[in-house]
């Protein structure tokens, strides 16, 4: 068994964070996101991983290298043009002519992957899709199943009146290599609109795996990117290795840092500053009496004296001026600079 991670999307819904940082390596609790997926694979004994890239591939390769730092072997495929999800699978064909786990490269989960593979093999399935329940399936792929776990219907991005169940495609598949032959070569093709409905028409043994209980989130919008952080900080994601909550940094004794917050190396936190339920990347400066709460701040950002940041995501190398207020839902791209006393919308 080996793995293919689909990581070629543009991450448009996560702009401005993805302008300089491709979505697969945006920091989640100060680690490039794909490392969480690599951990999941390695724990299930899968060490041959192909990363399927298209957008900003060099930035991803630079961060992850050949995988040896993480105990795996990473090979890269780079599509000249995005080929769609199944087109990317076909494009990697030469590398993955064996049973393969496919991940959408933007899912944070504590799924028991070994259990998925066992069930897939036990059923002798051609394809298995992991499902998860969500409140509103409209921005996902809705999946209806029979009582024995066979997939009855796959409906990508259903309209409100088409929503019949709350189970969706969780973006994890186990696929037998013969189904590569059903994917047209050299043209864009999609699992969700093309191959999966086609497997049903062909009567292939196409099954759902429904985990007993697992954490699941697609990190692809700012709100969900933020939620993933809050969930990790609160310990709601099992089987997940996080960096130490406290790196090596300078902090005044009169600063207040709560237990949940995660502070990377080389930060400076001045007297009277408060850091609550937040993540600070490497080398951030939080000036006197500034307050950062429920927020994610990327490396080398400075928050000025008396500024308040609440419920916000602030990119790399930003400057939040003195007494500025950055409210809930604000997302600042890298190198943003807010003049002293700026007020953005959103509740503080
Ligand atoms: N290599 C490559 N080439 N990767 C791609 C391409 C492509 O052309 N297009 C998308 N991807 C990657 C993205 O980088 C992402 O990791 C993954 O495929 C899914 O694409 P998204 O654009 O994030 O899709 P989505 O979130 O709207 O929907 C998908 O995920 C849902 C779960 O989050 C679908 O698979 C839904 O059915 C599913 O419910
Ligand atoms: Mg997505």
């Amino acid at each position: 068994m080996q793995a293919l991670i689909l990581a070629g999307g543009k991450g448009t819904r996560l702009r401005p964070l993805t302008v300089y940082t491709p979505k697969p390596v945006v920091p989640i609790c100060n680690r490039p996101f794909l490392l969480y997926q690599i951990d999941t694979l390695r724990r299930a004994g899968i060490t041959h991983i192909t990363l399927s890239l298209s957008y900003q591939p060099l930035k991803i390769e630079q961060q992850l290298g050949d995988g040896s730092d993480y105990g795996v072997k990473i090979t890269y495929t780079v599509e000249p043009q995005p080929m769609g999800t199944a087109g990317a699978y076909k494009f990697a064909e030469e590398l993955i002519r064996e049973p393969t786990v496919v991940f959408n490269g933007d899912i944070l989960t504590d799924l028991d992957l070994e259990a998925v593979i066992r069930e897939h093999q036990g059923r002798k399935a051609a394809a298995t899709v992991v499902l998860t329940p969500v409140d509103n399936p409209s921005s996902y792929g809705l999946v209806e199943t029979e009582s024995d776990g066979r997939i009855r219907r796959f409906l990508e991005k259903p309209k409100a009146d088409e929503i019949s169940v709350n189970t969706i495609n969780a973006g994890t598949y186990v696929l037998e290599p013969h189904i590569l032959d059903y994917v047209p070569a050299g043209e864009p093709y999609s699992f969700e609109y093309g191959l999966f409905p086609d497997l049903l028409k062909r009567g292939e043994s196409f099954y759902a795996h429904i985990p007993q209980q697992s954490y699941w989130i697609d990190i692809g919008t700012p709100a969900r990117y933020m939620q993933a952080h809050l969930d990790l900080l609160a310990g709601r994601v099992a089987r997940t290795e996080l960096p130490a909550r406290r790196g090596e940094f300078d902090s005044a004794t009169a600063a207040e840092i709560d237990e949940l917050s995660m502070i990377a190396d080389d930060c400076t936190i001045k007297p009277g500053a408060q850091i609550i339920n937040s993540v600070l990347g490497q080398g951030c400066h939080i000036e006197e009496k500034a307050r950062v709460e429920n927020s994610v701040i990327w490396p080398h950002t400075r928050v000025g004296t008396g500024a308040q940041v609440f419920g916000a995501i602030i990119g790399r190398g930003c400057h939040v001026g003195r007494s500025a207020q950055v409210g809930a839902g604000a997302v600042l791209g890298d190198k943003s600079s807010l003049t002293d006393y700026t007020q953005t919308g959103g509740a503080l």
Side-chain angles (χ1 to χ4, degrees), residues 43-326:
R43 269 200 309 274
I46 298 173
T47 53
H48 271 64
I49 302 172
T50 302
L51 289 192
S52 170
L53 309 180
S54 174
Y55 179 66
Q56 299 192 336
L58 290 180
K59 288 192 179 165
I60 299 174
E61 291 196 42
Q62 269 164 12
Q63 292 225 24
L64 302 179
D66 64 2
S68 53
D69 287 354
Y70 315 109
V72 297
K73 185 172 180 304
I74 300 178
T75 310
Y76 297 89
T77 60
V78 180
E79 301 145 45
Q81 302 292 330
M83 296 294 284
T85 47
Y89 172 59
K90 183 77 174 175
F91 190 77
E93 182 168 24
E94 299 304 316
L95 296 166
I96 53 165
R97 270 266 161 207
E98 62 174 274
T100 299
V101 170
V102 177
F103 279 170
N104 279 353
D106 57 0
I107 304 300
L108 177 70
T109 178
D110 54 13
L111 178 72
D112 180 352
L113 184 59
E114 275 179 288
V116 181
I117 295 168
R118 260 198 316 276
E119 190 175 57
H120 171 86
Q121 291 170 336
R123 286 162 160 171
K124 299 201 176 1
T128 297
V129 172
V130 177
L131 306 192
T132 193
V134 290
D135 291 341
N136 179 6
S138 62
S139 52
Y140 302 103
L142 177 147
V143 183
E144 290 177 10
T145 53
E146 307 287 356
S147 54
D148 65 354
R150 278 183 181 265
I151 291 179
R152 184 195 310 149
R153 195 156 86 111
F154 194 104
L155 189 60
E156 186 66 16
K157 311 286 189 289
K159 300 196 182 71
D161 62 352
E162 294 173 321
I163 295 175
S164 49
V165 290
N166 71 343
T167 41
I168 59 130
N169 165 20
T172 296
Y173 321 129
V174 187
L175 305 177
E176 293 301 312
H178 72 270
I179 67 173
L180 278 164
D181 299 334
Y182 304 153
V183 183
E187 58 179 89
Y189 199 60
S190 143
F191 282 122
E192 296 84 350
Y193 293 99
L195 185 67
F196 291 158
D198 187 46
L199 290 179
L200 290 173
K201 273 195 219 124
R202 290 174 186 267
E204 283 280 350
S205 64
F206 186 19
Y207 279 94
H209 173 93
I210 305 174
Q212 282 302 316
Q213 202 187 14
S214 85
Y215 178 85
W216 185 92
I217 199 165
D218 174 331
I219 62 144
T221 66
R224 295 198 300 253
Y225 173 81
M226 172 66 91
Q227 189 61 47
H229 281 82
L230 301 181
D231 292 336
L232 284 164
L233 290 183
R236 286 189 279 266
V237 192
R239 298 177 233 254
T240 303
E241 282 170 46
L242 290 181
R245 303 254 168 175
R246 300 286 182 267
E248 290 187 10
F249 62 95
D250 292 334
S251 169
T253 42
E256 179 191 333
I257 304 173
D258 77 340
E259 281 180 13
L260 291 176
S261 293
M262 181 178 287
I263 320 283
D265 291 343
D266 308 325
C267 289
T268 303
I269 301 176
K270 291 283 183 61
Q274 291 178 300
I275 314 291
I276 296 154
N277 201 26
S278 295
V279 176
L280 303 190
Q282 189 180 357
C284 286
H285 282 252
I286 311 298
E287 302 291 351
E288 290 179 16
K289 299 202 175 125
R291 179 180 168 94
V292 175
E293 183 170 353
N294 295 350
S295 294
V296 177
I297 302 189
W298 287 13
H300 304 295
T301 280
R302 180 179 293 267
V303 177
T305 304
Q308 294 195 42
V309 177
F310 183 87
I313 307 170
I314 302 189
R316 199 183 164 87
C318 294
H319 180 247
V320 175
R322 178 189 185 94
S323 299
Q325 300 199 340
V326 184

Side-chain angles (χ1 to χ4, degrees), residues 10-23 26-27 55-56 59 219-223 225 298 312-316 318 329-336:
K10 278 198 169 160
T12 46
R13 285 164 292 180
L14 207 48
R15 286 177 186 151
L17 300 173
T18 45
V19 171
Y20 298 106
T21 308
K23 178 167 75 167
V26 292
Y55 179 66
Q56 299 192 336
K59 288 192 179 165
I219 62 144
T221 66
Y225 173 81
W298 287 13
I313 307 170
I314 302 189
R316 199 183 164 87
C318 294
V331 186
L332 304 189
D334 293 356
K335 300 179 205 157
S336 298

